[in-house]
Each structure stands twice: as structure tokens, then as C-alpha cells.
Amino acid sequence: GQNIDQPTEMTATEGAIVQINCTYQTSGFNGLFWYQQHAGEAPTFLSYNVLDGLEEKGRFSSFLSRSKGYSYLLLKELQMKDSASYLCAVKDSNYQLIWGAGTKLIIKP
Amino acid sequence: SQTIHQWPATLVQPVGSPLSLECTVEGTSNPNLYWYRQAAGRGLQLLFYSVGIGQISSEVPQNLSASRPQDRQFILSSKKLLLSDSGFYLCAWGGVVSGANVLTFGAGSRLTVL
């Protein structure tokens, strides 16, 4: 079967750095996505990786290793508004999105 | 620019009652449209997707149905709701953002079946 694993919950301090990991086992690979979802709201697109390496976008970066079936989302200079769930999703060989259950990130002052 | 509207935002329905959730997209033509359900502690579950008017693909057999009567309108329905239908329902359209085919979601509809 297809599977996306990410930690259920993480806690970090305002101003610090946090890394949210995602591992996947899917039938084929056509890209990995990270979405941010604030409580009670819809997910919003953060980043996309299809080739190995690091994609940087402001305070957020996303890394991919296809050989290891592994990605991480790195958040720097954490702000209270970064408290949210972060969803990892992989597009499989049929271009269907397989979603992880999300990582709830709690930011403490 | 493209926008997506979804309503109602919240509803509480008795078991056995019908359901209709509506989604419309503006600023694009012939979009790919999707209905997802999100249950607590689980990943987003694709329910239906549509690549054009009257074209509906069902991913999960259940008592829900979808229709696309117009190019930018997508409706999720049920004739008789079950308790297990409670959840957060999200409509989305697929478009290109920063070179990637990305889903843009509506605000969501939280359904509670009692």
C-alpha cells in the first residue's frame, strides 16, 4: 500500500528553527508538496519538490531525497502565526495525491 | 485572479437528511475540480474529481455523490446522511502555481451529523 508518515505533533519556541520530516512509500513519484493548514481553515500551498535538493522560499525551505523517500520542511525564525498543521503529500505514478495526516506545530513564546 | 467559493461553512444535520454542498470557481475556465474529506488524525481523502461538465470520477464508494452542472460549479450531495459522514469537506481546483500543478482549496464546510 501507499503510505506517508509524518510526526503527529511538534513543539518549538518562537524565534527558533524547526524541521518537520516526511517519509513516503508510494507507487511511483511525481512530486512532493507541503501545505500549511491553520485550525479550522483550508490548506494552503507552501512548496513543491520534484528533484532532489533544497528549495528555499523565505523563512521556509523544503528538502527532498527521492532515493530515501524522504522530505523535510524547515521553518526558520519561527513566529506565533506559524502555529498550524503542516501536510505532506506525494503525487504517485497515476498523478494522484497521497496525503499524510499532518504535523501539528505548536509555537511557544 | 482565480478564487474559489464554498458554502455553507458550517452545518448540523440529522441522520437520514439530505446534503448539498456547493463550490464555484472564478477566474478560470474548464478547471479540474475536487471534493476532499478531512477526518481528525487522518490524511485528506479524495472523494470525487471532475475534469469537465458532467464528468465525475468517484474514488471512494459511499452514500455521497457529486455533480458538475456548469463548468465552474461542483456540488457534493447525499440523499441520506450517516453519522460517519461528519467531517470537514474541502473543494479544490487544480492549477499551475510556481510551475507546479497545485491544489487551491475553498474555505471548507464542517458537517456534523447527529
Side-chain angles (χ1 to χ4, degrees), chain A residues 33 35 37 40-43 45 48 91 96-97 99-101, chain B residues 36 38 41-44 46 88 90 100-103 105-106:
Chain A
F33 299 79
Y35 283 77
Q37 184 177 25
E41 299 181 8
F45 170 70
Y48 170 71
K91 195 165 279 189
Q96 296 297 317
L97 271 176
W99 293 83
Chain B
Y36 279 90
Q38 186 175 37
R42 301 183 64 179
L44 289 171
L46 178 62
F88 191 46
L90 291 157
N101 284 305
V102 170
L103 291 179
F105 290 89

Side-chain angles (χ1 to χ4, degrees), chain A:
Chain A
Q2 308 202 86
N3 196 46
I4 309 283
D5 287 316
Q6 47 181 136
T8 303
E9 187 174 296
M10 299 181 71
T11 303
T13 305
E14 189 177 15
I17 299 173
V18 69
Q19 177 175 311
I20 302 174
N21 296 326
C22 170
T23 58
Y24 62 89
Q25 298 97 37
T26 56
S27 56
F29 178 85
N30 280 297
L32 184 142
F33 299 79
W34 285 97
Y35 283 77
Q36 180 190 59
Q37 184 177 25
H38 285 100
E41 299 181 8
T44 55
F45 170 70
L46 283 179
S47 69
Y48 170 71
N49 295 70
V50 67
L51 299 176
D52 290 351
L54 190 68
E55 294 282 342
E56 297 186 80
K57 196 183 291 186
R59 293 189 299 114
F60 292 9
S61 303
S62 56
F63 171 83
L64 174 68
S65 169
R66 288 173 294 171
S67 62
K68 295 182 179 179
Y70 167 71
S71 172
Y72 67 73
L73 181 69
L74 191 70
L75 292 75
K76 302 177 183 177
E77 301 169 15
L78 286 169
Q79 303 175 9
M80 297 304 292
K81 67 178 181 180
D82 297 329
S83 292
S85 288
Y86 292 85
L87 313 181
C88 175
V90 172
K91 195 165 279 189
D92 68 11
S93 56
N94 293 321
Y95 294 90
Q96 296 297 317
L97 271 176
I98 311 301
W99 293 83
T103 298
K104 182 179 180 181
L105 178 63
I106 300 169
I107 309 296
K108 295 186 175 180

Side-chain angles (χ1 to χ4, degrees), chain B residues 53-75:
Chain B
I53 296 175
Q55 300 179 65
I56 309 294
S57 295
S58 174
E59 292 296 309
V60 183
Q62 56 207 324
N63 70 319
L64 299 173
S65 62
S67 62
R68 186 166 177 176
Q70 299 181 44
D71 181 44
R72 287 168 285 179
Q73 183 184 28
F74 204 21
I75 297 171

Side-chain angles (χ1 to χ4, degrees), chain B residues 14-88:
Chain B
V15 170
S17 65
L19 171 73
S20 181
L21 302 178
E22 189 163 343
C23 173
T24 59
V25 180
E26 297 176 358
T28 185
S29 58
N30 198 30
N32 290 339
L33 297 174
Y34 305 81
W35 278 111
Y36 279 90
R37 177 167 59 201
Q38 186 175 37
R42 301 183 64 179
L44 289 171
Q45 180 188 33
L46 178 62
L47 301 175
F48 300 95
Y49 69 93
S50 171
V51 299
I53 296 175
Q55 300 179 65
I56 309 294
S57 295
S58 174
E59 292 296 309
V60 183
Q62 56 207 324
N63 70 319
L64 299 173
S65 62
S67 62
R68 186 166 177 176
Q70 299 181 44
D71 181 44
R72 287 168 285 179
Q73 183 184 28
F74 204 21
I75 297 171
L76 182 68
S77 304
S78 175
K79 292 182 179 178
K80 288 186 177 182
L81 285 168
L82 306 173
L83 286 174
S84 58
D85 291 324
S86 293
F88 191 46

